[in-house]
Amino acid sequence: MAKSKFEYVRNFETDDTCLRNCYIVVRLDGRNFHKFAEQHKFAKPNDDRALGLMTRSACSVMEELEDIIIAYGQSDEFSFVFKRTSNWFKRRASKLMTHVASQFSSSYVFYWKEFFEDQPLLYPPGFDGRVILYPSNRNLRDYLSWRQADCHINNLYNTVFWTLVQGRGLTTTEAEDRLKGTLAAHKNEILFSEFGINYNNESSVHRKGTTLIWEKVYETVTKRMKLPNEEEKDVPVTRSRRRVEAYHCDIIGEQFWEEHPDILEDDN
Ligand code: DGT
Ligand code: MG
Ligand code: MG
Ligand code: MG
Ligand code: MG
């Protein structure tokens, strides 16, 4: 086929194929959500409408795009893991990342009203994206553990911080000073001895974040059928289909992975 003299510009495109055999992680993070949360009156420290909308949008990403085996989200971020054998878009990083980011962003706006009934969306939110490759199951699990540990550290801090501000009337500066240099044990202690709050009883959505995986569900529906030489009648038919399921549990330890052995493919 004849080529135009302009065709050569194609050669300026750089190759961004993700290395084979690696899990491809795309992590999105809300742009300037400090301000976005303020302007849309997010509850502090955790707004369940906002978290629900993030999860709804992440489900849409998993359902609409190919090959995502697990996703993990907290605060204004969500990580999506493509299976290591995925060949979707020939593993081109920019294609994968932009599809995830745009599907997520449009879903966030599309489903906004379902979660924020009385709060109008004041301006279009954006999400940045990055791609990270992990060559082993250990590396991938450590990545997810890192994000969940981050969720825990931030949530413990924020829980104590806002309890001191809202429950004790401290200014934000006073609360900051009070917490400067404290370890996790101190923070737990402040919550328990001063407010009678056992941090472990706080909502697991807030403490553990949200993990999305595929699960097989069996559905029995009745179908009207006509068999030869018989009257038409209702027959139960069982079908299996995949559905995205949300968990708010620990994913750092072994238990979750032992209970869901199909998520990760064997190393080597
Ligand atoms: P960035 O990501 O560099 O564009 O800037 P930010 O402002 O998005 O910073 P980031 O991502 O490090 O921190 C997330 C911000 O979002 C943080 O300021 C708290 C806010 N945020 C996230 N979830 C909630 C929530 O449920 N309630 C409230 N009040 N704020 C939240
Ligand atoms: Mg940031
Ligand atoms: Mg952000
Ligand atoms: Mg963030
Ligand atoms: Mg096109």
Side-chain angles (χ1 to χ4, degrees), residues 219-223 235-239:
E219 281 176 339
T220 305
V221 290
T222 42
K223 265 199 160 171
V235 185
V237 184
T238 303
R239 285 186 299 217

Side-chain angles (χ1 to χ4, degrees), residues 68-229:
I68 296 169
I69 47 173
I70 183 169
Y72 175 76
Q74 51 122 344
S75 181
D76 69 337
E77 68 167 64
F78 238 101
S79 299
F80 299 89
V81 182
F82 289 82
K83 68 178 185 186
R84 64 199 331 183
T85 54
S86 178
N87 204 29
W88 198 50
F89 280 107
K90 298 206 171 76
R91 298 175 73 83
R92 287 165 65 187
S94 54
K95 290 275 188 180
L96 301 182
M97 181 172 57
T98 53
H99 270 302
V100 170
S102 64
Q103 188 70 39
F104 190 92
S105 305
S106 63
S107 300
Y108 194 91
V109 172
F110 187 79
Y111 293 113
W112 174 269
K113 271 208 196 72
E114 284 185 20
F115 294 85
F116 288 90
E117 285 159 22
D118 309 318
Q119 171 62 55
L121 181 58
L122 301 173
Y123 60 90
F127 294 84
D128 73 35
R130 72 189 75 192
V131 171
I132 319 113
L133 302 178
Y134 290 111
S136 70
N137 287 348
R138 188 69 262 165
N139 292 153
L140 178 71
R141 278 190 50 185
D142 286 347
Y143 169 80
L144 294 167
S145 299
W146 173 51
R147 298 324 303 148
Q148 189 167 58
D150 187 80
C151 174
H152 166 72
I153 292 163
N154 290 330
N155 190 60
L156 178 58
Y157 182 93
N158 292 336
T159 303
V160 192
F161 181 88
W162 288 107
T163 305
L164 287 168
V165 171
Q166 289 160 354
R168 176 110 328 146
L170 265 60
T171 66
T172 50
T173 318
E174 286 167 346
E176 237 167 70
D177 287 343
R178 178 81 203 278
L179 292 178
K180 206 164 273 170
T182 53
L183 302 174
H186 295 134
K187 296 189 185 79
N188 277 308
E189 186 55 25
I190 293 173
L191 280 177
F192 192 70
S193 62
E194 296 188 28
F195 301 96
I197 295 171
N198 182 345
Y199 181 72
N200 290 326
N201 296 338
E202 293 290 290
S203 151
S204 59
V205 182
H206 304 160
R207 285 186 297 113
K208 301 294 181 191
T210 299
T211 303
L212 301 177
I213 56 173
W214 287 104
E215 254 169 23
K216 220 179 200 174
V217 288
Y218 296 92
E219 281 176 339
T220 305
V221 290
T222 42
K223 265 199 160 171
R224 194 123 189 109
M225 283 213 255
K226 167 95 179 76
L227 299 171
N229 307 321

Side-chain angles (χ1 to χ4, degrees), residues 35-67:
K35 174 182 152 213
F36 188 83
E38 288 288 331
Q39 299 221 325
H40 293 88
K41 304 189 181 73
F42 282 16
K44 287 168 174 158
N46 295 293
D47 189 306
D48 286 322
R49 302 166 301 174
L51 293 170
L53 178 56
M54 290 290 289
T55 297
R56 181 65 193 84
S57 307
C59 286
S60 153
V61 168
M62 284 183 75
E63 284 157 1
E64 301 298 331
L65 309 188
E66 308 290 313
D67 292 346

